[in-house]
Amino acid sequence: MCRIVAAVILLLNVVGCSSLSGRDLIETYSSQMSNMRHSVKSGDIKQAIDDIDPGSPHNTSYYLRQLELGRLEQLAGNYQSSEHHFKIVEDYLNWLSNQAQYRLSHGIQNSVDMLTNDSARSYRIPVFEQVMLHQYQAVNYLHQNNLTGALVEVRKGELLQQKALNNHPDEQNTVEQRYQSQVQSVMSQYPSMSNLISQSMSQYQNSYTYLFSSALYLAANQPDDAYIDLKRALKVAPDNTAIGKLTRYLATQLVMPDADELKARYPKFDLNNSKGMVWVFVEQNLIPYRREFAVRLPVPINHQLQYWSVAFPVLPDSIKPSRSVKIHADGQVLPAQVSTQLQSLAGHALKDELPGMIVRQLLRLTSKSVLADQMDRQNRWLGLLTNLYNAVSEHADTRSWETLPATVRFAVGAFAPGTVNLKFSPLGQTVAVPVKKQAITLVIVSSIGQIWKAQVFTL
């Protein structure tokens, strides 16, 4: 009996030492966020914020929840609170990049997650989510009329994407290479995400961010930087007419060598010195959340193969459809074409994470099965208790930033100075925006479930 009590204490200590709450142990992150997603789709942002308990900074999902809260507070119009939540995450990421101590604490977490699941590890924020953190923080600075601060944020995001592009794909470590055959075996059973990821080039090339930064660079009288990012956006979304005609216009103004090539493919942008530009982004739907997918894997124990059921995260292999949008303004019809499928970037992020996930799961299976075998040899009840714990703790790590938009559309128009009424069809909403000569009016519309929010900036 004493050994059974000791085993119970040992297993309970695994949770206590790992900064993993009991709920995190038995319930996936996406399941915990279900009430929040429902509140967002119902248009109740205040309730969605209340649905999220950030917990302690020691909790392994604390900083992910800060991202969710930062996004929701921004949608609620609480920009200072949003800035605060995003600043917590940014400070953590800065600390992470300079802290040797983190490697020690992460090593302790790794030893614990060998007996639990990947949720015992501190959430590693994917590059594309870090980029969106900086973009949304830039939006908060624009609400303070702080263009300089916003430019700093977009440059941080740009640096992240460029660094990741330069380092990828040579980031597979030696441990993953050692288990390459096992990884390939699991991948052969894994559901395809080919349709999802085909809608983007990688998680490191975000045309939404490129377009957003281009507007800020033009406002800061940095046309060369704006042109570079427009070209990057066009590479990702070459069929987007709005991006094409903007790039053509700027290439002509800057006398770029590819101006003639762009003229041959994209229409002329009717912009002159007496007009101002209106850039419109339409964010639609919530990004798909990760689900669980079970796989049976063989584990050699005492020269015998034992089959264990293990769980991995997966995303639906399809693009969540979004409604087409046209903007009517001053006799013009501006089609808001898809510029970015953030849901596809999320698919790339998961694909990049999978080899490491599989290796950790293989190592974890060995640790769990050895522990169960040892406990069973000592006492049958100890073995049953350990197997029960193993079954309860077997969950996929479904953590991801769930309040991001799934799809982003983009439109651009040129108008005479004054107030222009943008009528969004078939959404049935109208936004009055100011237009100034030789200036940019930036409009960010969020159409998510019952939520309709328009943020307007004159740059």
Side-chain angles (χ1 to χ4, degrees):
M1 179 61 71
C2 291
R3 289 181 177 177
I4 295 177
V5 172
V8 172
I9 293 173
L10 170 64
L11 295 177
L12 289 176
N13 279 340
V14 166
V15 178
C17 295
S18 68
S19 300
L20 186 71
S21 72
R23 187 180 182 188
D24 291 332
L25 178 66
I26 63 175
E27 188 177 4
T28 65
Y29 179 82
S30 57
S31 176
Q32 294 180 42
M33 292 294 112
S34 60
N35 287 340
M36 179 276 293
R37 292 194 302 271
H38 176 75
S39 297
V40 170
K41 292 175 182 177
S42 300
D44 193 343
I45 294 296
K46 183 180 183 302
Q47 182 57 51
I49 293 170
D50 292 341
D51 287 334
I52 298 177
D53 177 10
S56 159
H58 299 293
N59 185 276
T60 57
S61 300
Y62 174 77
Y63 295 101
L64 174 56
R65 288 183 166 93
Q66 294 296 322
L67 289 175
E68 309 281 20
L69 288 168
R71 167 72 168 155
L72 290 174
E73 292 285 11
Q74 189 172 89
L75 289 173
N78 303 324
Y79 306 115
Q80 288 187 341
S81 180
S82 174
E83 179 187 348
H84 171 72
H85 289 295
F86 287 146
K87 184 69 163 54
I88 288 174
V89 182
E90 190 170 355
D91 287 346
Y92 165 70
L93 290 171
N94 290 337
W95 173 86
L96 207 57
S97 64
N98 298 308
Q99 274 291 336
Q101 179 62 30
Y102 169 75
R103 288 189 285 273
L104 174 60
S105 65
H106 197 65
I108 294 172
Q109 287 179 357
N110 287 348
S111 65
V112 172
D113 76 49
M114 286 298 100
L115 295 177
T116 53
N117 54 55
D118 262 7
S119 296
R121 298 162 55 89
S122 290
Y123 180 64
R124 292 190 174 185
I125 305 172
V127 171
F128 94 96
E129 291 185 357
Q130 294 185 45
V131 172
M132 291 307 300
L133 157 67
H134 291 299
Q135 178 170 331
Y136 284 136
Q137 189 69 296
V139 170
N140 286 327
Y141 285 129
L142 289 181
H143 279 289
Q144 303 170 24
N145 295 316
N146 184 353
L147 178 60
T148 300
L151 283 167
V152 169
E153 292 299 324
V154 297
R155 288 194 183 278
K156 289 177 183 177
E158 189 170 288
L159 183 62
L160 275 171
Q161 292 188 98
Q162 200 57 45
K163 182 179 178 181
L165 274 172
N166 293 337
N167 292 340
H168 191 77
D170 299 324
E171 48 186 34
Q172 187 181 49
N173 61 43
T174 55
V175 175
E176 291 175 14
Q177 292 172 354
R178 190 186 314 158
Y179 287 86
Q180 190 171 10
S181 61
Q182 293 94 325
V183 169
Q184 290 176 347
S185 175
V186 175
M187 290 296 289
S188 67
Q189 303 178 57
Y190 194 84
S192 172
M193 293 191 297
S194 58
N195 292 327
L196 178 65
I197 64 177
S198 67
Q199 300 300 307
S200 61
M201 301 178 71
S202 75
Q203 67 157 313
Y204 315 125
Q205 293 167 284
N206 184 340
S207 52
Y208 186 14
T209 298
Y210 293 146
L211 288 168
F212 180 82
S213 60
S214 297
L216 269 56
Y217 288 141
L218 284 175
N221 196 26
Q222 299 173 21
D224 291 315
D225 290 332
Y227 175 74
I228 290 171
D229 274 1
L230 278 174
K231 285 282 288 184
R232 288 169 173 165
L234 191 60
K235 182 179 180 180
V236 177
D239 296 328
N240 190 294
T241 304
I243 302 174
K245 68 181 182 181
L246 264 178
T247 310
R248 167 185 166 166
Y249 171 80
L250 205 53
T252 303
Q253 294 295 307
L254 298 174
V255 196
M256 290 295 180
D258 60 347
D260 288 339
E261 180 183 344
L262 291 166
K263 287 178 182 178
R265 179 168 183 181
Y266 299 104
K268 182 180 180 181
F269 187 30
D270 186 22
L271 177 67
N272 55 51
N273 291 335
S274 66
K275 295 181 178 180
M277 286 190 287
V278 177
W279 294 38
V280 183
F281 296 102
V282 181
E283 300 180 336
Q284 295 178 295
N285 303 325
L286 285 179
I287 202 165
Y289 61 90
R290 294 181 177 185
R291 280 82 164 171
E292 282 193 303
F293 173 75
V295 177
R296 284 181 61 80
L297 294 179
V299 180
I301 302 295
N302 295 330
H303 307 292
Q304 292 183 341
L305 284 180
Q306 298 181 12
Y307 283 83
W308 289 64
S309 180
V310 296
F312 293 100
V314 68
L315 286 168
D317 188 29
S318 61
I319 292 294
K320 182 184 293 186
S322 60
R323 300 176 73 181
S324 61
V325 177
K326 291 184 178 180
I327 303 169
H328 301 262
D330 278 7
Q332 298 185 47
V333 179
L334 310 176
Q337 297 174 297
V338 173
S339 64
T340 314
Q341 293 287 9
L342 286 177
Q343 54 192 318
S344 182
L345 271 61
H348 277 287
L350 177 54
K351 183 179 177 231
D352 292 343
E353 296 167 22
L354 273 177
M357 285 184 176
I358 293 170
V359 170
R360 288 192 299 274
Q361 190 64 286
L362 291 168
L363 296 174
R364 185 180 300 120
L365 277 179
T366 302
S367 299
K368 285 185 172 184
S369 55
V370 167
L371 176 62
D373 184 66
Q374 290 175 347
M375 291 293 188
D376 190 63
R377 287 174 182 271
Q378 293 183 46
N379 185 286
R380 179 169 173 270
W381 292 106
L382 282 178
L384 288 173
L385 176 64
T386 306
N387 282 322
L388 177 62
Y389 169 81
N390 287 341
V392 169
S393 64
E394 182 50 48
H395 284 292
D397 182 3
T398 62
R399 291 177 295 180
S400 65
W401 189 354
E402 295 188 4
T403 47
L404 289 174
T407 301
V408 180
R409 294 176 177 271
F410 177 66
V412 65
F415 301 93
T419 299
V420 176
N421 291 315
L422 305 178
K423 299 178 181 179
F424 291 79
S425 172
L427 303 178
Q429 301 283 347
T430 300
V431 180
V433 302
V435 176
K436 293 185 178 180
K437 184 171 66 174
Q438 298 182 29
I440 296 176
T441 300
L442 181 64
V443 183
I444 303 174
V445 166
S446 299
S447 176
I448 302 171
Q450 298 301 311
I451 294 174
W452 170 272
K453 179 179 177 60
Q455 302 175 76
V456 181
F457 309 95
T458 302
L459 304 179

